[in-house]
Amino acid sequence: MQSRHFSTRTEATSLADTVADTIRQQLIHGQLRAGQHLSEAALSQQLDISRNTLREVFRILIKEGLLHHEPNRGVSVVVPSMADIIDIYRVRRLIECQSLKKAWPLHPAHKRMRQTVEEASAAREARDWLRVGSANMAFHAAIVALSDSERLSAMFEDICAELRLAFGLLDDPEYLHAPYVDYNARLLQLFMDGQTAEAARELEAYLVQSERMVLAVYARQVQ
């Protein structure tokens, strides 16, 4: 009897984790926006899960800082603060620059880097800036994958979700994403040429510039 109860509990937890990852991916791909209210009834129907499972999903994502619960108002997507953005970029510089600097240029993740650069270029031609943003997130996730650390990759997935929420607050996605298509191609070329230290230096400057851009636009938005 105890064994069956444990099995059911494990399956429920696994389902909650799977659905939490689905919502996390929706955040990363810009399908959910900062401040958006999440209807328990609508979301449980959309995801074909019970409300009890959805509440467990909410608990997971609230603990990760991606969702927020307010009494009498329900659950909504978190709105990142300027302090959050600064901290996100601090962590990005620590993780990404070291991953790029110390990686082997023929690491399998370079294929993902190349693929995302091609996807971003095609999306830019189509002026699909949401897809450009998603390709950019995937490019940087591939850089972290160069570290061969599942923990760092999992941490970076949460950071990507928070960062995409900050991007979603900005009204001009072309201004935000367009410059980084060519920057990513430049980083990939340096990396493939074996110039990993130079690539890491350029990535750090790139991230500093990106942070300043996001903070400047964000500051105007919240005034």
Side-chain angles (χ1 to χ4, degrees):
M1 184 72 174
Q2 285 181 336
S3 175
R4 186 169 64 180
H5 176 75
F6 176 78
S7 174
T8 303
R9 178 84 175 181
T10 303
E11 289 172 7
T13 302
S14 176
L15 176 60
D17 288 338
T18 299
V19 176
D21 189 58
T22 297
I23 295 177
R24 201 179 293 111
Q25 291 301 316
Q26 290 177 347
L27 294 169
I28 291 172
H29 292 290
Q31 295 165 348
L32 296 173
R33 294 178 63 86
Q36 180 176 338
H37 178 262
L38 299 181
S39 165
E40 191 175 288
L43 203 54
S44 60
Q45 182 175 12
Q46 175 192 333
L47 297 170
D48 194 24
I49 58 174
S50 70
R51 291 200 182 189
N52 283 339
T53 300
L54 182 60
R55 288 172 191 141
E56 178 62 26
V57 170
F58 282 165
R59 280 192 286 272
I60 292 170
L61 296 174
I62 288 169
K63 186 176 180 181
E64 292 178 3
L66 299 175
L67 301 182
H68 170 72
H69 178 264
E70 190 172 349
N72 303 319
R73 299 191 67 177
V75 175
S76 59
V77 180
V78 160
V79 178
S81 67
M82 292 185 74
D84 291 328
I85 295 170
I86 291 168
D87 197 35
I88 287 167
Y89 274 94
R90 180 184 296 120
V91 174
R92 289 188 71 187
R93 287 191 292 271
L94 286 171
I95 295 176
E96 291 188 57
C97 294
Q98 287 302 305
S99 296
L100 193 59
K101 182 178 180 179
K102 296 181 179 180
W104 180 46
L106 293 181
H107 189 288
H110 85 270
K111 296 177 183 177
R112 288 170 54 191
M113 294 168 67
R114 182 179 300 281
Q115 180 181 2
T116 59
V117 166
E118 292 170 354
E119 289 173 357
S121 296
R124 181 175 59 180
E125 287 296 315
R127 303 189 66 77
D128 185 344
W129 302 113
L130 191 65
R131 191 155 60 97
V132 171
S134 294
N136 183 47
M137 292 290 95
F139 178 82
H140 289 278
I143 288 178
V144 177
L146 294 169
S147 68
D148 287 319
S149 169
E150 291 185 7
R151 289 178 177 82
L152 285 180
S153 288
M155 180 193 302
F156 192 74
E157 187 171 76
D158 291 342
I159 289 171
C160 280
E162 291 186 82
L163 187 61
R164 196 58 184 266
L165 290 178
F167 288 169
L169 293 170
L170 311 181
D171 288 334
D172 192 344
E174 179 179 0
Y175 171 75
L176 181 66
H177 296 304
Y180 298 103
V181 178
D182 292 332
Y183 287 166
N184 289 350
R186 163 76 176 163
L187 287 177
L188 175 63
Q189 190 59 58
L190 285 171
F191 180 70
M192 295 301 298
D193 289 344
Q195 300 183 54
T196 56
E198 177 62 22
R201 282 192 293 271
E202 291 211 11
L203 175 57
E204 183 164 9
Y206 163 128
L207 291 173
V208 168
Q209 179 177 340
S210 176
E211 178 184 13
R212 287 174 179 167
M213 179 188 295
V214 173
L215 287 173
V217 180
Y218 183 84
R220 290 196 295 272
Q221 290 285 84
V222 298
Q223 284 178 353

